[in-house]
Amino acid sequence: MKLLFRPLSMLISVLGGVLAGALFKRLWRGATGDDEAPEATSPDHSTQEVLIAALLHGAIFGVVKAAVDRAGAKSFRRVTGKNLDN
C-alpha cells in the first residue's frame, strides 16, 4: 500500500509547494507592496527585511507542508483503513 501512496504523496507535495509559494508571494505583496521578496544577498534591502522575509517564507512553507502531509495521511487511512507507519 505504501508504494501506491509515495507517488501520490510526491505529487501532492509539489502542489503544496506551489500553493505555499503563491500564498507567500501574495502575503508579501500585501504587506510591502513589492512583487518579490528580497534575496539574502540583495544590497538594496536591510538585513531586518531579508530576515523577516525568510521567517515568513519558512513559516508558510512549514505550515502548508504539515497540512498537506496530514491531509494525505488521513486520506490514505480513510481509503485503505491502514496507517502509513504500519
Side-chain angles (χ1 to χ4, degrees):
M1 273 300 164
K2 281 187 185 182
L3 288 175
L4 294 175
F5 180 74
R6 287 180 199 254
L8 182 60
S9 175
M10 283 195 271
L11 176 64
I12 291 170
S13 291
V14 168
L15 294 175
V18 170
L19 173 67
L23 179 60
F24 170 73
K25 194 170 190 170
R26 179 176 227 176
L27 287 173
W28 187 259
R29 189 179 318 120
T32 67
D34 294 336
D35 286 336
E36 298 292 326
E39 295 289 328
T41 57
S42 173
D44 300 328
H45 296 89
S46 70
T47 299
Q48 181 179 8
E49 190 175 17
V50 168
L51 295 179
I52 289 170
L55 177 69
L56 181 61
H57 189 261
I60 289 171
F61 270 80
V63 168
V64 170
K65 181 180 179 347
V68 167
D69 288 349
R70 182 69 177 165
K74 289 176 80 173
S75 296
F76 180 83
R77 187 172 35 253
R78 189 173 39 250
V79 169
T80 66
K82 297 182 185 288
N83 290 326
L84 285 170
D85 55 358
N86 290 342

